Amino acid sequence: MRNFTYSIPTTIYFGKDKLEEIIPEVKRYGKRVLITYGGGSIKRIGLYDKLTALFKQNDIFYVELGGIQPNPRVSSVREGIALCREHKVDFILAVGGGSVIDASKAIAAGVTYDGDVWDFMIGKATVKDPLPLGSVLTLAATGSEMNGSAVISNEETQDKRPMGDPALRPVFSVLDPVYTYSVNKWHTAAGTTDIMSHIFEAYYTVDKDVEVADYMAEALLKVCIKYGPIAVEEPENYEARANLMWAGTLAINGLISYGKAGGDWATHMIEHEVSAIYDLTHGAGLAILFPVWMEYVLDERNSWRFAQMARNVWGVSEIDDMKAARLGIAEIRKFFSSLGMPATLKDVNIDGQHIPVMAKKATIFGALGNIKKLQQADVEEILRRAL
Amino acid sequence: MRNFTYSIPTTIYFGKDKLEEIIPEVKRYGKRVLITYGGGSIKRIGLYDKLTALFKQNDIFYVELGGIQPNPRVSSVREGIALCREHKVDFILAVGGGSVIDASKAIAAGVTYDGDVWDFMIGKATVKDPLPLGSVLTLAATGSEMNGSAVISNEETQDKRPMGDPALRPVFSVLDPVYTYSVNKWHTAAGTTDIMSHIFEAYYTVDKDVEVADYMAEALLKVCIKYGPIAVEEPENYEARANLMWAGTLAINGLISYGKAGGDWATHMIEHEVSAIYDLTHGAGLAILFPVWMEYVLDERNSWRFAQMARNVWGVSEIDDMKAARLGIAEIRKFFSSLGMPATLKDVNIDGQHIPVMAKKATIFGALGNIKKLQQADVEEILRRAL
């Protein structure tokens, strides 16, 4: 087990009717709030009205930035930064899914930075004294509600890049599973896939003797396998929504990575290039790419780890590690299909024409991955096999 | 899943050579420190010298309270409170196992309270503005390093009582598995049993549909089952010590209880009465009592939960829940015996003479437990069956 420093200070208010908890929290950190949200689903489910009523009752000043899109654009972020400066905002409340929270993190970092916010995405700037932020989560998927990471897209350059800093971790997040009832089948399935993908990224490293992290990762996967299909079929099943939501948060708050290298993340980086060009749902891209990536990186040195997951999670009883690993990957592919996720790039009308440029951009900062280092040619081959 | 508020702000410095991390942490919270420790093992392993050298190099004032015993005495606590007041201490650093950390929590609470510290144990006082404390852990067992609970013994009244408050959570803890190399076979086995018992307490509640908590609890149990025997046989096996240490912390920091009722804790309360009179090693008492308690409370309504653990953790494949539950309990008893733990009270030279008084004291504040409420007569019966 590697050395680590555990620090997960975010407070989570989990469950039904927890919205009022935000008032003392917001007051603790600020007086002037930017409320961020997406395409308006928070208005349809009544959350917007409840929230703004609470703010008014408590005399808390707020301005709004709505319309933040999936794969959030840096243009939205810039708009948010301008709003914060204009209205002297000192706290950001993100209300939505990962895209809204990610955009809010970039806004929080950008407000206190003199240059352009895209500098954070290209390594030209580091986060310093960002505005504090909180979140009210409406989609179980990215885990952004309890970590310091964000992924932002640049529509001009067709880039999609991560940024991150512990100081961008929300100081609190409200997780009410009821807010996810209105998430449709497709996004519920994609969200489940996203959660499972985060677990895969944390799991597939070169580390041995890290059973605390490994077994907890397997536990969270089993939750997704049990409750993902139920949530897709029964959108108002509270227990399914609750277990998925909590698993999604724990999957990427650091817990299952402590004691290990920081995860593989090659598949995410490759998917970012695909969805930067094609604006594909992130989870759908991951469902296509992960089994292909697994088959590509599997070898004699790491087969024990693929076999461990196959046996502990997917019910594989095969004794030979390499065979067990392959059976496990087949189960993963089968499961994603059962959720209604696509299996190939062709399934989502993506052909091979941009593969060279995607592979080049994915590796622009160097080789990808932990369990196996991937160069540009490797990424190109993975994308071809995914066609 | 029940509503909950997640808050685990303790920072954990985990791994080799992490001791220096304490200096900026201590300086953040105080200027005058009480260092607490036990019977001197920290001197034998060189930790005391390293620590006091660090304090001197950094010009941090400290006083010491050594000699804190297992099942820590309220007399030690009172002594610590007097020392803190005399030297205007503003931070406590506990260096040792759970007993030292527990005593330190009681000292931290007692310093800022006008009455006698035992008041906290009898519900006569609540914790208010305690001194901040940190810990350097030398035994994987109680999990006190990341929670706000303590158990203190009163040698005059032969009482052993818990107290707790979120404000008593250490602000940081240093977990270096190497510091546990010198823990002997008996205490390593008892510590493993203690960790597993905390998981049992969290696991055996009436809640359904709480798979995130359940599966993570099972993950931590599997870590104990894998690494407990290795640590007993190979005291300097770093990976075994590291996995046990981290599992022990996560077992009782709240993580595996979120979304559930607060745990059962009947067995712990019964064991406290036994060790209050006989000064038995806590883990050994739990090894004796847990299987008996399980058999006593098992019934048709809760057999699914016992069966779930039997299948997911103990390799039981039996389909019938009640049969699977009994097979699981048999495996637990077998495992504790394999660790060298006693199986009956007679094994540790305890006869039945004090059973009535122990049962009476255990239920003095009311019935015990969550999965089944236990009255005085139930406790008496469990103790008799444990003979």
Side-chain angles (χ1 to χ4, degrees):
Chain A
M1 197 183 293
R2 293 171 195 238
N3 284 5
F4 63 85
T5 299
Y6 173 111
S7 174
I8 310 182
T10 302
T11 300
I12 299 289
Y13 297 102
F14 192 102
K16 290 175 184 165
D17 304 319
K18 285 281 194 173
L19 201 62
E20 290 183 17
E21 304 275 8
I22 66 169
I23 297 302
E25 286 278 5
V26 168
K27 283 186 175 169
R28 202 173 141 197
Y29 294 98
K31 289 183 191 313
R32 301 174 67 83
V33 180
L34 173 69
I35 298 178
T36 55
Y37 54 93
S41 72
I42 70 161
K43 291 186 176 168
R44 283 194 299 282
I45 65 174
L47 174 53
Y48 174 88
D49 284 345
K50 268 192 213 162
L51 193 69
T52 49
L54 268 177
F55 270 64
K56 283 170 192 158
Q57 278 161 32
N58 289 277
D59 285 324
I60 300 173
F61 171 86
Y62 66 92
V63 285
E64 298 175 30
L65 175 68
I68 295 171
Q69 290 174 280
N71 296 324
R73 271 66 166 170
V74 70
S75 53
S76 271
V77 172
R78 290 183 185 126
E79 201 182 329
I81 293 169
L83 269 173
C84 286
R85 287 176 180 159
E86 183 187 342
H87 295 283
K88 299 193 192 316
V89 161
D90 52 16
F91 186 82
I92 303 175
L93 182 66
V95 188
S99 299
V100 173
I101 304 173
D102 281 12
S104 304
K105 288 176 183 173
I107 296 168
V111 171
T112 58
Y113 173 65
D114 280 340
D116 180 64
V117 70
W118 190 253
D119 288 353
F120 293 111
M121 266 54 77
I122 54 172
K124 214 179 123 183
T126 52
V127 176
K128 209 184 150 194
D129 302 325
L131 293 188
L133 76 153
S135 84
V136 180
L137 187 66
T138 62
L139 177 70
T142 74
S144 190
E145 62 276 11
M146 207 177 186
N147 66 42
S149 302
V151 180
I152 305 294
S153 293
N154 188 326
E155 56 272 51
E156 290 160 29
T157 60
Q158 291 194 320
D159 281 316
K160 183 175 175 181
R161 295 271 162 223
M163 69 177 287
D165 192 277
L168 295 178
R169 213 183 266 276
V171 291
F172 70 87
S173 288
V174 174
L175 274 59
D176 183 341
V178 174
Y179 296 150
T180 66
Y181 282 179
S182 64
V183 177
N184 66 26
K185 279 182 198 294
W186 168 259
H187 280 110
T188 300
T192 302
T193 306
D194 195 20
I195 296 167
M196 293 174 70
S197 298
H198 296 150
I199 302 169
F200 293 154
E201 298 290 18
Y203 194 85
Y204 288 107
T205 67
V206 294
D207 301 292
K208 292 184 177 182
D209 308 314
V210 285
E211 278 78 359
V212 174
D214 281 353
Y215 294 170
M216 286 200 299
E218 292 164 1
L220 296 175
L221 270 181
K222 291 197 290 184
V223 172
C224 296
I225 295 164
K226 171 159 189 177
Y227 282 115
I230 298 174
V232 168
E233 288 310 314
E234 304 168 28
E236 303 202 356
N237 183 314
Y238 183 83
E239 301 303 343
R241 294 293 195 181
N243 276 279
L244 272 183
M245 194 171 214
W246 189 216
T249 302
L250 295 175
I252 189 169
N253 73 348
L255 183 67
I256 62 170
S257 290
Y258 285 125
K260 306 185 65 176
D264 189 87
W265 298 103
T267 312
H268 265 74
M269 295 304 285
I270 301 171
E271 199 289 324
H272 287 173
E273 297 309 328
V274 179
S275 56
I277 294 182
Y278 296 99
D279 207 17
L280 179 64
T281 301
H282 181 51
L286 292 167
I288 296 165
L289 291 171
F290 244 114
V292 178
W293 171 85
M294 288 177 177
E295 283 162 350
Y296 190 82
V297 302
L298 172 65
D299 66 22
E300 289 297 338
R301 282 166 310 164
N302 61 37
S303 59
W304 69 270
R305 177 167 275 290
F306 285 85
Q308 174 179 282
M309 184 189 284
R311 294 183 190 119
N312 290 352
V313 175
W314 299 100
V316 171
S317 54
E318 167 64 43
I319 291 166
D320 178 77
D321 276 356
M322 189 55 81
K323 285 183 191 162
R326 290 193 202 285
L327 289 168
I329 297 169
E331 290 296 326
I332 290 166
R333 188 170 263 134
K334 209 190 297 174
F335 181 78
F336 286 155
S337 289
S338 78
L339 282 179
M341 287 286 101
T344 66
L345 291 171
K346 288 205 184 74
D347 286 349
V348 288
N349 300 314
I350 294 176
D351 61 22
Q353 68 164 312
H354 293 303
I355 284 180
V357 67
M358 291 192 285
K360 189 175 176 187
K361 286 175 90 172
T363 51
I364 203 161
F365 296 121
L368 302 179
N370 170 298
I371 202 162
K372 189 170 283 181
K373 289 281 171 206
L374 302 181
Q375 308 296 338
Q376 185 177 336
D378 299 302
V379 175
E380 206 167 318
E381 177 60 22
I382 288 170
L383 285 166
R384 288 205 188 285
R385 291 189 192 178
L387 278 172
Chain B
M1 196 184 293
R2 294 173 194 237
N3 284 6
F4 63 85
T5 299
Y6 172 111
S7 174
I8 311 184
T10 302
T11 300
I12 299 288
Y13 297 102
F14 192 101
K16 292 175 183 165
D17 304 319
K18 285 282 195 175
L19 200 61
E20 291 183 16
E21 304 275 6
I22 66 169
I23 296 300
E25 286 279 4
V26 167
K27 283 185 174 169
R28 201 173 141 196
Y29 294 99
K31 291 183 190 312
R32 302 173 65 83
V33 180
L34 174 68
I35 298 177
T36 56
Y37 54 93
S41 71
I42 69 159
K43 292 186 177 168
R44 282 194 299 281
I45 65 174
L47 175 54
Y48 174 87
D49 285 344
K50 268 191 215 165
L51 193 70
T52 50
L54 268 178
F55 270 65
K56 283 170 192 159
Q57 279 161 31
N58 288 278
D59 286 325
I60 300 172
F61 171 87
Y62 67 91
V63 286
E64 298 175 30
L65 175 68
I68 295 171
Q69 290 175 279
N71 297 323
R73 270 64 165 173
V74 70
S75 52
S76 271
V77 173
R78 291 184 185 125
E79 201 182 328
I81 293 169
L83 268 174
C84 287
R85 287 177 179 157
E86 183 188 341
H87 295 282
K88 300 191 192 318
V89 161
D90 52 16
F91 188 81
I92 303 176
L93 183 67
V95 187
S99 298
V100 172
I101 304 173
D102 281 11
S104 303
K105 289 176 183 172
I107 295 168
V111 171
T112 57
Y113 173 65
D114 280 341
D116 180 64
V117 69
W118 190 252
D119 289 353
F120 294 111
M121 265 54 77
I122 53 173
K124 215 180 124 183
T126 51
V127 176
K128 210 184 149 196
D129 301 326
L131 293 189
L133 77 153
S135 84
V136 180
L137 188 66
T138 61
L139 178 69
T142 73
S144 190
E145 62 276 10
M146 207 176 185
N147 67 41
S149 302
V151 180
I152 305 295
S153 293
N154 189 325
E155 56 271 51
E156 289 160 27
T157 60
Q158 291 194 320
D159 281 316
K160 183 175 175 180
R161 293 272 162 222
M163 69 177 287
D165 191 277
L168 294 178
R169 212 183 266 277
V171 290
F172 71 87
S173 287
V174 173
L175 274 60
D176 183 340
V178 174
Y179 296 151
T180 66
Y181 283 180
S182 65
V183 177
N184 66 25
K185 279 182 198 293
W186 168 259
H187 280 110
T188 300
T192 302
T193 306
D194 195 19
I195 296 168
M196 294 173 70
S197 299
H198 296 151
I199 303 169
F200 293 153
E201 299 288 18
Y203 194 86
Y204 288 106
T205 67
V206 293
D207 301 292
K208 292 184 177 180
D209 308 314
V210 284
E211 279 79 0
V212 175
D214 281 354
Y215 293 170
M216 286 200 300
E218 292 165 3
L220 296 175
L221 270 181
K222 290 197 291 183
V223 172
C224 296
I225 294 165
K226 170 160 189 176
Y227 282 115
I230 297 175
V232 168
E233 289 310 314
E234 305 169 26
E236 302 201 358
N237 183 315
Y238 183 83
E239 301 304 343
R241 293 294 194 181
N243 276 279
L244 272 183
M245 195 172 214
W246 189 217
T249 303
L250 294 176
I252 189 169
N253 73 348
L255 184 67
I256 62 169
S257 291
Y258 286 124
K260 307 184 64 175
D264 188 88
W265 298 102
T267 312
H268 265 74
M269 296 303 286
I270 300 171
E271 198 289 325
H272 287 174
E273 297 308 327
V274 179
S275 56
I277 294 181
Y278 296 100
D279 205 17
L280 180 63
T281 301
H282 182 50
L286 292 166
I288 297 166
L289 291 170
F290 245 114
V292 178
W293 171 84
M294 288 178 178
E295 283 161 351
Y296 190 83
V297 302
L298 172 66
D299 66 23
E300 290 296 337
R301 282 167 311 162
N302 60 37
S303 60
W304 70 271
R305 179 167 274 289
F306 285 85
Q308 173 180 280
M309 184 188 284
R311 294 183 191 120
N312 291 351
V313 175
W314 298 100
V316 171
S317 54
E318 167 64 44
I319 290 167
D320 178 78
D321 275 357
M322 189 56 82
K323 284 182 192 162
R326 290 194 203 286
L327 289 168
I329 297 169
E331 290 295 325
I332 291 166
R333 188 172 263 134
K334 209 190 298 175
F335 181 78
F336 287 154
S337 289
S338 78
L339 282 179
M341 287 286 102
T344 66
L345 291 171
K346 287 205 183 74
D347 286 348
V348 287
N349 301 314
I350 295 175
D351 61 23
Q353 70 165 310
H354 294 303
I355 283 179
V357 67
M358 290 192 286
K360 189 174 176 189
K361 286 177 91 171
T363 51
I364 204 162
F365 295 120
L368 302 180
N370 171 300
I371 202 161
K372 189 169 282 181
K373 289 279 170 207
L374 303 181
Q375 310 294 340
Q376 185 178 337
D378 299 303
V379 175
E380 205 167 319
E381 178 60 21
I382 287 169
L383 285 166
R384 288 207 187 284
R385 291 188 191 179
L387 278 173

